Amino acid sequence: MTLLGSFLTDPSFKTVLYIVAIALFIYGLTGLTGPRTAVRGNRIAAVGMAIAIVATLLVDPFNNVVLIVLGLVIGTAIGVPAARQVKMTAMPQMVALFNGVGGGAVALIAWAEFRETDAFASEATYVAVFSMFSAIIGSISFWGSNIAFGKLQAILSGKPVTLGPLQLPVQLVVGAAAVAAAVAIVAGAQAEIIVIGLLVAAAIFGVLLVLPIGGADMPVVISLLNAFTGLAAAAAGVALDNQALIVAGMIVGASGTILTQQMAIAMNRTITSVVVGGFGGEVTAEAGAGAGGAEGGTVKSTSAADAAIQMSYARQVVVVPGYGMAVAQAQHAVREMAKVLEDKGVEVKYAIHPVAGRMPGHMNVLLAEADVPYEQLKEMDEINNEFSRTDVSLIIGANDVTNPDARTKPDSPIYGMPILNVDESSSIIVLKRSMSSGYAGIENPLFFNDKTQMLFGDAKGSVGEITSELQAL
Amino acid sequence: MTASLLLAAVEQGEPSRLVTNLALLVVAGFVGYAVISKVPNTLHTPLMSGTNAIHGVVILGGLILLAGSADLGVVTSVILFVALLFGAINVVGGFVVTDRMLEMFKAKPAPPPKDDEAEGAGS
C-alpha cells in the first residue's frame, strides 16, 4: 500500500486513536454526571466510539467489507428509529433491550472466536478463560435482559415466576453446567457442542435469574445486567487483546455495579436479596382491588373541585409523582396544572424519590419532557425537610415510596426504606386509580390517614379536571 | 487519564500482555468508580442508558474478527454478522436514546417560581 496507507494501519497509530477514544469516553462520562453538561458528555462519548470503530477498521488487509458495511448499516437502521420512536414511558424496557443485544454480541463473538482459533488450540490459556467467561456472562445478560424487557412491556407477567422448590436446584445445575463447559474448553476440549451447551446453560440461567423477580425490583436487575454486559465486554477485550474494549467495558462494569448498589440501597434491599427473590410481586390494579379497608381504617375520597380549592389557597404544593403518572402519561397535564397554580402565587415543587417509577431518574425524564424546570425537581433528602412547611402534598400514582410503614413497622417488607415524609404536610391528596397496593404488594396506611383524601381515577384525567377547576376559580 | 498512560505502556514491551491488560482492567474499574459516584440521582436513568451505549464497544470485537480473517466459513461469518448487527444496535440506539432523554434536561428559560424578572430574559 501507499506510505499513507502503511501509516494508517500502523498498530501504534491505532493505539493512539484508542487512547483518544478512551479519553473521550471518560471525559464524556464525566459530563454525564451534571445536568448542564450531560448532553455534550453523551455526544463526546459517541465521538469516542466513532473514533474507536474507525481505528479498529484501519487494518490491512481488510476482509469481509460487504458484511461489515451491511452489519453497520442495518444495525443503524434498526437502532435509530427504535431509539427515536420509543415513548419516554417505555424507556426502561428500551434500555433493557439495547443492553441485551450488547450481551448477545459478546456471547456470539466468543463463540466465533472459539471457531476461528480451532478451540483456542494455539492460544494462551488465559485467552480461553476470558473468552468463555465473556460467553457465559454475555449469554446471561442477553436472555436476562430479554425477560426484563418482556416483563416491562407486559408481554410476560410482571409477577414473580418460579419453579417453586425446583428453582434453586435447577439454577445451580445450569450454572454449574455452564462453568463445567467453560472449564472443559479451557482444558482443551474441542467439540463445538460444548460451547453451544455453555451458551444454552447460561441462557437458561439468565432466564431463571430474572423470571422470579417482580416489577418493583426490575430497575435494579436492568442495572445489574448492564454491569454484566460491561464486564463481559472487558473480558472479551482481554481475550482479544483490545484495550478499548477492556477500558470501556470495565468502566461500565464498575459504574453499573455502583449504580445497582445505590438503587438497591434506596429500596432498602441488597443486590443479593433482589436476585434471590422474595417479596416484590407486582400487584396489578385488577388483582389488588378490594384490598381497601384491610387496615380497618376509613378512606376519604374527594372531588377535583375540592382538591383545586385546597391547592389554590396553599402557599406550597409538593407534587409526588410515581409510576402511575408515567402509565397515565400525565406529565404534561401536571405541568399545566403547576403553571396555573404558579400564576395564582402558589409555590410548586416536585419530590423525586430515588426509585419512583421503574428506574432511578424515570420521573425526572418524564417531567423534563413536559418542560418542568430542573430547579423545581427536588431529591428526597432535600424535600423531606420541607414537608412540614407544605400545605398540600399531591401524590400522583406513587405508593410504596410514601408508605409510613417503612419508618414505623419493623415487620413490614419495606421497613427501613427511606421514604418521602408526605404525612408531615398539612394535607395530602392522593390521585390513584383504585385502592390497589403498589409493587411491593403491601397496604399503605397513608391512605387511611386523617389528613389524606383520595381522588380516584386516571391520573391524567384527574389532573386535567383539577386544572380546569383551578382556572374556573 | 491514568488509564491512557497505562495504555501507552502496553506498547512498550511484550513480556506480559496479560499483566498489562489486567492492570488496565483494574485502573479502568477505579476510573468508572470515581467518575460515577458523583452522579446525582436524577441523572441515573440517562447515565444507565449512556453507559449502556458505551458497552456497545463490543462491536469492536465483531469488527476485529470479521475484518481480520479472509476465510471465515459460512457459519462463523453468520455468527459474527449477527454479533456486529447486535453491537451496532446497542451503540447507535444507545447513544440516540440517551441523547433524546438528555435533550429534555437542557436548561430551559426556567422562570423562578416567585418573581417574574427572569420571564422575558430566557432564550
Side-chain angles (χ1 to χ4, degrees), chain A residues 22-48:
Chain A
I22 289 168
L24 291 178
F25 287 155
I26 297 172
Y27 185 58
L29 265 182
T30 316
L32 271 171
T33 59
R36 303 239 178 305
T37 51
V39 175
R40 204 184 42 174
N42 183 52
R43 288 179 184 168
I44 288 171
V47 170

Side-chain angles (χ1 to χ4, degrees), chain A residues 89-122:
Chain A
T89 39
M91 207 56 88
Q93 49 266 53
M94 204 67 217
V95 174
L97 208 59
F98 287 148
N99 179 55
V101 289
V106 180
L108 291 173
I109 287 165
W111 184 11
E113 207 186 354
F114 171 90
R115 295 176 59 92
E116 253 306 273
T117 58
D118 293 322
F120 306 106
S122 52

Side-chain angles (χ1 to χ4, degrees), chain A residues 187-244:
Chain A
Q190 300 195 341
E192 189 171 16
I193 190 73
I194 300 180
V195 176
I196 297 174
L198 175 146
L199 292 174
V200 172
I204 298 173
F205 188 89
V207 170
L208 291 180
L209 185 73
V210 179
L211 268 184
I213 298 170
D217 288 332
M218 215 37 86
V220 181
V221 175
I222 296 175
S223 176
L224 187 68
L225 293 171
N226 187 41
F228 274 17
T229 310
L231 284 179
V238 176
L240 291 166
D241 190 28
N242 183 292
Q243 287 72 38

